[in-house]
Amino acid sequence: MQKIQQSFQVSYSYPVIFSENIFSIENLDLKTCFENYITSNSKILVAIDFTFLNFHKYIFQDLKNYFLFYFKDIKIIDKYIEIEGGEKSKNNAEIVNTIIESVHLNAIDRHSFIFVLGGGSVIDTVGFAAAIAHRGIRLVRIPTTTLAQNDAAIGVKNGVNTFGKKNFTGTFAPPFAVINDFNFLTTLNDRDWRCGIAEAIKVALIKDKLFYYNIKNDSVYLANRNMESMQKLIIRCADLHLQHIAGGDAFEQGSARPLDFGHWAAHKLEYLSDFELRHGEAVAIGIALDCVYSYLIQNISLENLQTILNTLIAVGFDIFSPLLELKDEKNSYLIINGLQEFREHLGGKLTITLLKEIGLGIETNYLENGIILEAILFLKNYYK
Ligand SMILES: NC(=O)c1ccc[n+]([C@@H]2O[C@H](COP(=O)([O-])OP(=O)(O)OC[C@H]3O[C@@H](n4cnc5c(N)ncnc54)[C@H](O)[C@@H]3O)[C@@H](O)[C@H]2O)c1
Ligand SMILES: [Zn+2]
């Protein structure tokens, strides 16, 4: 046998910026971020979430004015791409083709940029197209929802839904930069405002007890759309996600995925609701379910369970959905199929994160169906 063992390392580094009024000429954040990378050949292709655009009608013009003011040689493609907001963008394979076609028609090369402005769904879709066109074009993510700013848009993953499965088709592709503008959040409806709080509670519960209690103490402010509380929550949540990515298995080669605490049920619920449930809303129910499971196997006390469920409720989430009780023609619970689908998506052994205590997750390779059903019943009766 002859064998050459290939081995090399690639390091990644990208800024995640938190700012306000990013396209105002007085704000130098974007200028500083791009000045060493924009040349006279650079082009920017822009894709925008349509619902966001409806609330921010002049955003493309603002972006254009800003870049032409500081980088007068740059070419900004006049025809920006509008993408229907929400999960529909991830369910429609045509959208990826439209973006790739636009890369082709506008001769966008690997030294140019694709800018995407929108919620996590649009960012995931455009991110996937950007990663596969020319094997990867520099992607600048400008997330416009709480959940995209504190989770979906800051990491290394993208993806669309195929064969009825969430994120089935996607890649790991770090962005060029992530630019968060808190002002964009003011136009969110209450449901989408709240969604990012679910991911913050998730990461706090498995990693940071103090952060969890800060969220609990701020729950009324957060529910009432206090911007200062939301900004603090977004920055800490993003920081914990970024630390996790940098500190371990960035490209998820192992079987464990602690940041997906509460997500095995959440992904299934999103499908069962035909995406009427938002990702963040489904995650809140998934967290509640896995916390009750953790209580039923005596990992956490009833008192701790109650504080978690009450915090979820205080910020405005439902912790139960009748979809948890749906059965198929063979009388088995559909939600339980979600476990197997989750395992397939991760690969390897089933690995689910539960709580050991508030602020500390613990991994398990087995969930008992009977205890899952008991947990569902517990949540159903919690309101009564
Ligand atoms: N890639 C990852 O690592 C990762 C991580 C977490 C979640 N996600 C994905 O992110 C998606 C959820 O993202 P999301 O919670 O941002 O929801 P979303 O993208 O579905 O957006 C929710 C709604 O808000 C609208 N919207 C966006 N910005 C707005 C604004 N500023 N004002 C008014 N309306 C606005 C959108 O058009 C949409 O209708 C899911 O598909 C989830 O799987 C990805
Ligand atoms: Zn999530």
Side-chain angles (χ1 to χ4, degrees):
M1 175 180 93
Q2 291 193 354
K3 175 180 172 187
I4 301 173
Q5 184 73 36
Q6 167 75 309
S7 169
F8 60 88
Q9 291 187 328
V10 182
S11 73
Y12 291 98
S13 171
Y14 58 90
V16 179
I17 292 166
F18 299 92
S19 188
E20 284 176 64
N21 300 319
I22 52 170
F23 299 130
S24 144
I25 299 295
E26 293 78 51
N27 185 331
L28 299 181
D29 292 339
L30 285 174
K31 173 181 181 283
T32 314
C33 183
F34 286 91
E35 57 196 354
N36 293 328
Y37 299 92
I38 287 187
T39 66
S40 52
N41 294 325
S42 300
K43 290 182 184 173
I44 298 181
L45 174 66
V46 181
I48 312 179
D49 182 314
F50 186 65
T51 313
F52 168 73
L53 187 61
N54 264 335
F55 287 100
H56 303 264
K57 291 201 170 13
Y58 304 106
I59 203 72
F60 180 69
Q61 198 53 48
D62 293 346
L63 181 154
K64 213 168 146 178
N65 292 347
Y66 185 94
F67 277 89
L68 290 174
F69 183 87
Y70 286 114
F71 307 102
K72 58 179 180 343
D73 294 333
I74 197 165
K75 177 153 177 25
I76 296 169
I77 306 301
D78 259 327
K79 198 166 175 324
Y80 59 87
I81 307 169
E82 285 177 27
I83 298 175
E84 184 173 15
E87 201 69 27
K88 283 183 190 148
S89 68
K90 290 178 66 166
N91 286 331
N92 180 355
E94 272 312 299
I95 295 177
V96 172
N97 287 340
T98 307
I99 299 158
I100 294 176
E101 189 180 32
S102 184
V103 168
H104 156 65
L105 294 175
N106 293 297
I108 301 294
D109 67 20
R110 301 184 70 247
H111 289 254
S112 294
F113 299 88
I114 295 182
F115 278 44
V116 51
L117 295 90
S121 307
V122 166
I123 288 187
D124 265 356
T125 307
V126 177
F128 177 55
I132 58 175
H134 287 306
R135 299 199 179 103
I137 294 171
R138 291 164 166 176
L139 178 71
V140 176
R141 304 194 193 125
I142 305 185
T144 61
T145 63
T146 55
L147 191 141
Q149 294 193 350
N150 71 9
D151 182 353
I154 61 170
V156 297
K157 294 188 280 182
N158 56 55
V160 294
N161 308 330
T162 27
F163 309 117
K165 290 178 177 162
K166 280 273 295 186
N167 305 323
F168 186 86
T169 313
T171 71
F172 291 95
F176 176 84
V178 183
I179 324 272
N180 293 301
D181 186 330
F182 290 130
N183 276 348
F184 292 154
L185 306 178
T186 55
T187 54
L188 289 169
N189 64 31
D190 286 347
R191 287 178 70 185
D192 290 309
W193 165 271
R194 198 179 294 130
C195 278
I197 306 171
E199 300 284 7
I201 293 176
K202 167 202 78 180
V203 74
L205 284 174
I206 56 169
K207 282 183 182 286
D208 185 344
K209 183 173 178 173
L210 179 65
F211 183 36
Y212 167 73
Y213 281 102
N214 287 341
I215 300 174
K216 174 181 169 340
N217 293 339
D218 267 8
S219 54
V220 175
Y221 296 112
L222 288 164
N224 291 322
R225 301 191 64 137
N226 179 288
M227 187 53 97
E228 206 183 314
S229 302
M230 183 55 88
Q231 290 184 7
K232 273 195 307 192
L233 173 139
I234 286 177
I235 294 173
R236 182 64 188 147
C237 177
D239 192 18
L240 285 166
H241 277 85
L242 290 168
Q243 281 178 33
H244 180 85
I245 293 167
D249 192 12
F251 293 162
E252 295 174 0
Q253 288 169 340
S255 307
R257 213 152 88 186
L259 292 179
D260 273 352
F261 174 51
H263 278 58
W264 71 266
H267 284 172
K268 190 70 188 174
L269 285 170
E270 286 182 77
Y271 265 104
L272 292 177
S273 74
D274 202 16
F275 295 100
E276 165 43 33
L277 272 179
R278 297 280 208 267
H279 179 71
E281 292 170 335
V283 168
I285 297 169
I287 292 171
L289 188 66
D290 286 349
C291 287
V292 178
Y293 193 105
S294 304
Y295 158 70
L296 291 174
I297 60 166
Q298 292 166 7
N299 276 12
I300 61 169
S301 66
L302 181 59
E303 197 190 346
N304 277 346
L305 173 65
Q306 283 167 339
T307 155
I308 297 167
L309 298 182
N310 293 344
T311 302
L312 287 166
I313 293 168
V315 294
F317 287 116
D318 285 333
I319 55 166
F320 173 77
S321 159
L323 298 169
L324 290 167
E325 296 186 310
L326 281 186
K327 292 180 183 174
D328 65 14
E329 61 286 352
K330 291 184 194 139
N331 216 25
S332 44
Y333 284 84
L334 286 166
I335 193 74
I336 290 185
N337 300 343
L339 263 184
Q340 176 60 13
E341 288 163 17
F342 190 73
R343 190 206 64 73
E344 278 172 26
H345 184 59
L346 264 60
K349 244 187 182 173
L350 175 72
T351 308
I352 298 284
T353 303
L354 293 174
L355 278 198
K356 179 76 188 138
E357 56 188 74
I358 290 184
L360 186 63
I362 184 172
E363 274 154 25
T364 180
N365 300 115
Y366 177 69
L367 291 190
E368 207 174 293
N369 292 355
I371 303 181
I372 298 175
L373 299 180
E374 209 181 317
I376 292 172
L377 204 59
F378 185 103
L379 287 176
K380 187 177 182 179
N381 292 324
Y382 195 74
Y383 292 105
K384 292 183 183 156

